[in-house]
Amino acid sequence: MEKADIKQIETEVKPPVASKGVVGWARANLFNTWFNSILTLVTLFVLWKTVPPFFRWAIVDSLWFSTGEACRGTEGACWSVIPANIRFILFGFFPYQLQWRPLLAMVILVVLLFYSRDRRHWNNSLVYAWVAGLFAMGLLMKGGILGLVEVESTQWGGLPLTLMLSVFGLAAAYPLGVVLALGRQSKMPAVKALCVVYIEMIRGVPLITLLFMSSIVFPLFLPEGVTVNVILRAQVAIIMFTAAYIAEVVRGGLQGMSKGQYEAAESLGLNYYQTMRLVILPQALKIVIPPTVSQLISALKDTSLVVIIALYDLLKTTQSVLSDPSWMAFSSEAYIFVALIYFFCCYFMSSYSRRLEKELDTGL
Amino acid sequence: MPDNITTENSLPTGDAIIEIIGMHKWYGEFHVLQDINLTVKKKERIVICGPSGSGKSTLIRCINRLEEHQRGQIIVDGIELTNDVKNVEKIRAEVGMVFQHFNLFPHLTIVENLTLGPIWVRKTPKKEAEETAMYYLEKVHIAEQAQKFPGQLSGGQQQRVAIARSLCMKPNVMLFDEPTSALDPEMIKEVLDVMIDLAQEGMTMLVVTHEMGFAKSVAHRVLFMDYGQIVEQNTPSEFFDNPQHDRTKLFLSQIL
């Protein structure tokens, strides 16, 4: 009887309707105070002044597949600069006939990355898939066996180079950063001192300095005749740099852990590595997902600094295209295109991090 | 309080499982434990009480070396506690510990909390560990929550899970560090009931608590600590009805 009564009340009393149509919503949110009304009007004015002209430039008056000469006469955007030069922008000096190889390598990488997004796929076969994938990518880029023509790494460039430097840079920097963070918390004075010195030294210099050192100073220490690939050196510099920052982010997470978690793990008889791997790190790393991803995103964008040691990454190949007199005037279009590529990579990371956070949320 | 519950109160006569001989501990200059001598026999149940800051928590935390002592000896199950990490890990696996704030692992489900120790320390196969876990969850009346996360449980439920987590390691001794102090009043009883069950099965227990009813009905021996010393120890009836020291009398008059 009582239950029925409660049900009836539930059906009768509805939550108050928050908005009454568009007008009600606008009044409640856009014009609820005089200050907000002014803000709304100013915003509308700015949008009216900027959006239509941009739309006209980017879409209405734009040219998509023309020569550079044809573009001169138009008021709109000359997107033609991209299709006309797409292969150089994406692949740099990689031999023109062989550019299917870096393309295939990138496809493999992207497929693997997408497949790895789902945590249910994280098992042994995924590890084998990555090993096989890495081998295939290396083979495609370098060649030299299996009837593939060898391509010197000095000819690598464009998007594959950017992706390679970022993906492997981040993949290696993250675990290294975690180890450094643990080292900095270590009770062993030597380990701790080493990690502190490393982290503070790396954080004390700009990435450019490290890249210069890797390309100019480092070879001075090598015995005569020995050379280390310039891409590898840049890769190592990026890893070392990013790891130091990741280490500090992870350390923040470790400090957020309560002493009780360590004690509970230890009182079960777990040793140091088990305690860290099974109890502390899963929680600490989860807490620091947002700052970690910020760090990784900025590392991805920092790979564009390798231009200073004469590597042709995505940004540099684009700039090279713009030094061609027939396309010189259309840098905005080309840069917008490159910006979009960077944006998609970064957005992929940040949306994935949000998804991970949601999946790992256990209500505490 | 469950005064009506009778546990077998005759003092066990078996071998000693914990021996503490002339033990001292300092926090910097502060002498937190002074000349502690204590022998705990197998199946013995000891309640340790005393004002806050008297060193009672520190004492039981020394027994599984969550705290280091600086002088004297602590021998647990025939193994002396030293800096030898392997020995310490061995003892910790034999000694269960229940904390005031439960300290469940929030990123693991209840059943994963329970199987973590057996799988990684005892190398029990996963399936067997899960069966054991379910057995102990039944025992603490919480089996239906096995797949939830700790954050979804009430305090009393979490503490019972914490007890079950310790039991899954099949410990020889259980240490309780104020297990009911962080609980709402209506949840204290459900935790104490589980502890009484445990007592009736003959578990060796050292309990730091302010639940004097529990001490009366369950303990073989009650220890009173103050200023880092064991001031008085006696059977519950003698301890409560006929305290010897003034400090004990003062303490009892304040809490009873």
Side-chain angles (χ1 to χ4, degrees):
Chain A
M1 184 61 209
E2 256 185 83
K3 240 184 183 172
D5 281 350
I6 290 169
K7 262 219 169 118
Q8 220 165 14
I9 291 171
E10 273 173 2
T11 49
E12 277 168 13
V13 182
K14 295 224 169 77
V17 182
S19 59
K20 300 171 203 79
V22 180
V23 178
W25 178 85
R27 190 171 287 170
N29 294 292
L30 301 178
F31 299 98
N32 50 346
T33 65
W34 64 267
F35 182 68
N36 277 358
S37 307
I38 292 174
L39 274 186
T40 303
L41 291 174
V42 168
T43 310
L44 284 175
F45 179 75
V46 170
L47 286 177
W48 179 63
K49 274 289 177 197
T50 53
V51 173
F54 179 80
F55 183 77
R56 207 176 311 123
W57 176 79
I59 312 286
V60 179
D61 294 340
S62 66
L63 288 173
W64 291 75
F65 301 99
S66 65
T67 59
E69 272 69 50
C71 277
R72 296 273 155 78
T74 168
E75 293 270 287
C78 177
W79 299 113
S80 319
V81 63
I82 295 152
N85 299 290
I86 187 75
R87 290 181 66 163
F88 187 80
I89 292 178
L90 289 184
F91 303 115
F93 292 110
F94 208 92
Y96 197 78
Q97 304 304 324
L98 303 175
Q99 283 178 356
W100 60 272
R101 280 165 44 180
L103 181 66
L104 187 57
M106 278 196 301
V107 169
I108 294 175
L109 183 65
V110 170
V111 166
L112 277 173
L113 281 177
F114 264 86
Y115 187 73
S116 309
R117 268 161 58 106
D118 198 331
R119 280 168 65 244
R120 279 169 302 181
H121 295 158
W122 293 3
N123 51 31
N124 279 346
S125 37
L126 184 65
V127 176
Y128 299 136
W130 269 101
V131 172
L134 288 178
F135 181 76
M137 280 184 254
L139 190 68
L140 284 167
M141 292 300 289
K142 183 88 184 144
I145 44 170
L146 294 179
L148 293 169
V149 183
E150 183 166 346
V151 178
E152 284 299 320
S153 59
T154 45
Q155 291 175 291
W156 298 3
L159 189 57
L161 183 67
T162 294
L163 281 182
M164 200 173 78
L165 288 174
S166 354
V167 172
F168 300 134
L170 306 189
Y174 187 69
L176 182 61
V178 172
V179 170
L180 282 169
L182 290 177
R184 194 167 183 169
Q185 301 254 307
S186 170
K187 288 191 185 109
M188 289 178 269
V191 174
K192 184 177 173 144
L194 204 69
C195 291
V196 171
V197 168
Y198 175 87
I199 292 169
E200 296 306 334
M201 264 176 56
I202 297 284
R203 290 206 307 164
V205 296
L207 178 56
I208 293 192
T209 318
L210 279 182
L211 289 170
F212 270 133
M213 278 178 58
S214 76
S215 83
I216 296 164
V217 182
F218 177 67
L220 299 179
F221 294 104
L222 292 176
E224 222 167 306
V226 178
T227 55
V228 177
N229 184 312
V230 64
I231 295 179
L232 184 64
R233 279 184 269 149
Q235 181 83 81
V236 170
I238 289 171
I239 292 170
M240 285 171 64
F241 185 79
T242 310
Y245 283 86
I246 295 286
E248 285 300 277
V249 169
V250 172
R251 190 166 69 101
L254 288 174
Q255 281 176 341
M257 295 301 301
S258 79
K259 217 169 140 234
Q261 290 291 310
Y262 290 91
E263 289 179 349
E266 284 166 8
S267 69
L268 285 175
L270 295 172
N271 62 32
Y272 173 81
Y273 296 100
Q274 291 169 336
T275 303
M276 286 302 164
R277 212 195 105 199
L278 301 167
V279 176
I280 303 301
L281 283 178
Q283 299 182 58
L285 295 182
K286 190 185 91 183
I287 302 172
V288 295
I289 286 176
T292 308
V293 172
S294 289
Q295 213 45 261
L296 295 179
I297 284 176
S298 93
L300 184 143
K301 292 180 293 186
D302 282 351
T303 57
S304 56
L305 288 173
V306 295
V307 294
I308 61 142
I309 55 171
L311 289 178
Y312 273 69
D313 79 317
L314 183 61
L315 196 61
K316 181 66 183 170
T317 52
T318 311
Q319 275 180 328
S320 310
V321 165
L322 297 173
S323 58
D324 177 345
S326 55
W327 298 111
M328 212 176 256
F330 310 108
S331 53
S332 324
E333 291 85 341
Y335 285 135
I336 286 175
F337 174 68
V338 176
L340 280 176
I341 294 181
Y342 275 108
F343 174 77
F344 279 119
C345 294
C346 296
Y347 186 76
F348 170 77
M349 282 164 74
S350 81
S351 74
Y352 180 57
S353 86
R354 260 175 284 139
R355 173 175 149 175
L356 258 191
E357 269 179 82
K358 211 180 268 175
E359 278 181 12
L360 296 176
D361 183 22
T362 59
L364 203 84
Chain B
M1 262 318 300
D3 276 317
N4 53 339
I5 291 170
T6 49
T7 45
E8 188 221 339
N9 254 347
S10 61
L11 202 68
T13 50
D15 303 329
I17 191 160
I18 299 171
E19 268 186 285
I20 303 176
I21 305 157
M23 190 261 277
H24 293 256
K25 173 171 179 59
W26 288 264
Y27 283 131
E29 290 292 301
F30 179 54
H31 202 169
V32 60
L33 291 175
Q34 306 175 19
D35 194 28
I36 303 289
N37 290 286
L38 178 67
T39 305
V40 182
K41 294 208 166 71
K42 271 184 187 150
K43 303 198 173 191
E44 195 175 5
R45 299 186 288 275
I46 295 178
V47 164
I48 304 168
C49 59
S52 64
S54 60
K56 48 196 194 313
S57 285
T58 311
L59 172 60
I60 68 164
R61 287 159 61 84
C62 281
I63 294 173
N64 68 352
R65 212 175 176 77
L66 288 180
E67 305 280 354
E68 273 176 43
H69 60 283
Q70 279 102 16
R71 249 173 72 185
Q73 281 183 302
I74 301 177
I75 300 161
V76 180
D77 217 5
I79 305 172
E80 187 179 349
L81 280 170
T82 57
N83 280 326
D84 184 335
V85 179
K86 285 284 157 229
N87 272 352
V88 171
E89 280 162 15
K90 217 180 285 172
I91 288 171
R92 282 174 177 165
E94 303 303 329
V95 177
M97 177 106 186
V98 175
F99 300 88
Q100 182 179 357
H101 296 289
F102 334 133
N103 296 348
L104 295 177
F105 307 129
H107 61 301
L108 300 176
T109 61
I110 299 306
V111 71
E112 285 168 341
N113 264 277
L114 266 64
T115 54
L116 192 74
I119 288 175
W120 291 92
V121 179
R122 295 258 191 256
K123 313 290 178 207
T124 315
K126 186 166 181 246
K127 192 142 177 26
E128 196 187 318
E130 276 170 1
E131 279 163 14
T132 315
M134 288 315 292
Y135 170 78
Y136 282 110
L137 283 178
E138 295 277 356
K139 250 182 111 139
V140 300
H141 319 297
I142 208 162
E144 71 281 1
Q145 315 277 12
Q147 299 307 326
K148 290 194 182 166
F149 287 98
Q152 297 164 301
L153 268 54
S154 73
Q157 290 174 322
Q158 290 195 44
Q159 191 62 296
R160 285 185 280 150
V161 171
I163 294 173
R165 176 174 69 179
S166 289
L167 291 176
C168 280
M169 292 294 288
K170 308 262 169 69
N172 296 326
V173 183
M174 287 284 285
L175 308 174
F176 293 84
D177 188 1
E178 306 205 23
T180 56
S181 301
L183 295 175
D184 292 340
E186 74 267 30
M187 292 172 183
I188 291 176
K189 186 176 176 302
E190 61 187 53
V191 171
L192 288 181
D193 285 348
V194 167
M195 290 168 66
I196 290 166
D197 285 347
L198 209 54
Q200 279 165 339
E201 286 163 26
M203 176 62 77
T204 314
M205 296 163 78
L206 273 85
V207 185
V208 173
T209 186
H210 298 294
E211 295 294 330
M212 289 304 133
F214 176 81
K216 273 180 198 163
S217 62
V218 174
H220 294 123
R221 220 184 334 161
V222 180
L223 262 62
F224 174 70
M225 289 186 70
D226 202 4
Y227 296 108
Q229 294 164 321
I230 298 177
V231 176
E232 183 167 350
Q233 48 178 312
N234 221 326
T235 59
S237 52
E238 278 293 299
F239 180 84
F240 289 108
D241 299 338
N242 188 16
Q244 301 296 310
H245 281 76
D246 292 341
R247 276 194 270 173
T248 319
K249 285 174 195 162
L250 180 67
F251 177 73
L252 288 175
S253 72
Q254 280 165 345
I255 63 162
L256 287 181

